[in-house]
């Protein structure tokens, strides 16, 4: 299992009531009514009835990070689609988050001596549990930056800006790493 894929192992039914021609795998986001069917296998390996205990492995891709799925497998033969033996739960791994959104710098009251408030919205795609933010301020167009980590449970902080051309950047982190600035 990765952030965007799940490996699924299964065995074909011993009594298939005919030659199995393919396998249908239904993938459903847990708690949602939308289901997508993937035709996973359509080859002669399914028709090898001499190996009824053979384990087949399918890699389901293009899944969303940090998402709970319910998977159901159905054998298909000339008579149609068979019933599922049940569902299997799978969760994709975390991935790096997208960038925090809607960064706004707002000056504080008169005489605030360069004090501003930076506010933001959490990333549109958290892709996991946000652990912290990293704030980078490049002072006065210099090549050196002042980096500070901030807790993940806030969406605003107070800053002191030394010049109008200070550059402020913010990024978020999950267990998979830092997202973009």
């Amino acid at each position: 299992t990765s952030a965007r894929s799940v490996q699924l192992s299964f065995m074909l039914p011993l009594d298939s009531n005919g030659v199995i021609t393919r396998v249908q795998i239904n993938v459903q986001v847990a708690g949602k009514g939308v289901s997508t069917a993937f035709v996973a296998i359509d080859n002669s390996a399914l028709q090898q009835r001499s190996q009824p205990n053979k384990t087949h492995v399918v890699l389901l891709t293009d899944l969303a990070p940090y998402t709970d799925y319910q998977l159901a497998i159905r054998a298909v033969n000339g008579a149609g689609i068979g019933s599922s033996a049940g569902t299997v739960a799978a969760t994709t791994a975390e991935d790096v988050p997208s960038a925090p959104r809607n960064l706004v710098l707002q000056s504080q009251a008169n005489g605030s001596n360069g004090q501003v408030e930076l506010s933001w919205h959490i990333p549109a795609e958290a892709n996991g549990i946000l652990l912290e933010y990293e704030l980078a301020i490049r002072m006065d167009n210099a090549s050196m930056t002042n980096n500070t980590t901030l807790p993940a449970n806030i969406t605003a902080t107070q800053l002191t800006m030394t010049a109008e051309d200070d550059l402020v950047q913010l990024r978020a982190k999950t267990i998979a790493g830092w997202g973009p600035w």
Side-chain angles (χ1 to χ4, degrees):
T1 301
S2 73
R4 300 194 185 271
S5 65
V6 170
Q7 184 172 303
L8 182 63
S9 301
F10 63 94
M11 293 185 344
L12 298 174
L14 294 175
D15 182 14
S16 62
N17 295 321
V19 175
I20 296 173
T21 58
R22 63 179 186 245
V23 172
Q24 176 179 304
I25 300 174
N26 291 334
V27 179
Q28 181 177 354
V29 175
K32 306 239 179 179
V34 178
S35 180
T36 306
F38 294 86
V39 177
I41 298 175
D42 188 6
N43 62 34
S44 62
L46 289 175
Q47 297 174 20
Q48 294 177 2
R49 298 181 64 111
S50 62
Q51 298 177 351
N53 293 327
K54 179 177 171 129
T55 299
H56 298 274
V57 178
V58 175
L59 184 65
L60 302 175
T61 59
D62 299 324
L63 302 177
Y66 198 59
T67 303
D68 295 326
Y69 290 95
Q70 294 292 323
L71 310 172
I73 302 169
R74 293 174 167 83
V76 181
N77 64 19
I81 301 171
S83 61
S84 171
T87 60
V88 174
T91 301
T92 49
E94 293 188 39
D95 202 356
V96 298
S98 60
R101 303 172 292 135
N102 303 330
L103 272 67
V104 175
L105 278 173
Q106 186 167 350
S107 296
Q108 298 301 297
N110 293 347
S112 63
N113 230 4
Q115 289 290 308
V116 296
E117 179 180 82
L118 172 66
S119 62
W120 63 90
H121 292 131
I122 64 170
E125 297 171 358
N127 294 333
I129 298 170
L130 295 180
L131 300 175
E132 62 187 348
Y133 292 100
E134 182 178 30
L135 173 65
I137 303 172
R138 187 172 351 154
M139 307 283 194
D140 231 353
N141 220 5
S143 61
M144 297 294 291
T145 58
N146 178 12
N147 291 29
T148 305
T149 57
L150 302 169
N153 63 344
I154 67 167
T155 55
T157 191
Q158 301 294 316
L159 306 173
T160 301
M161 305 292 285
T162 59
E164 285 185 23
D165 59 352
D166 286 354
L167 175 67
V168 176
Q169 295 179 300
L170 186 70
R171 65 183 178 169
K173 180 182 183 181
T174 65
I175 198 166
W178 290 105
W181 292 105

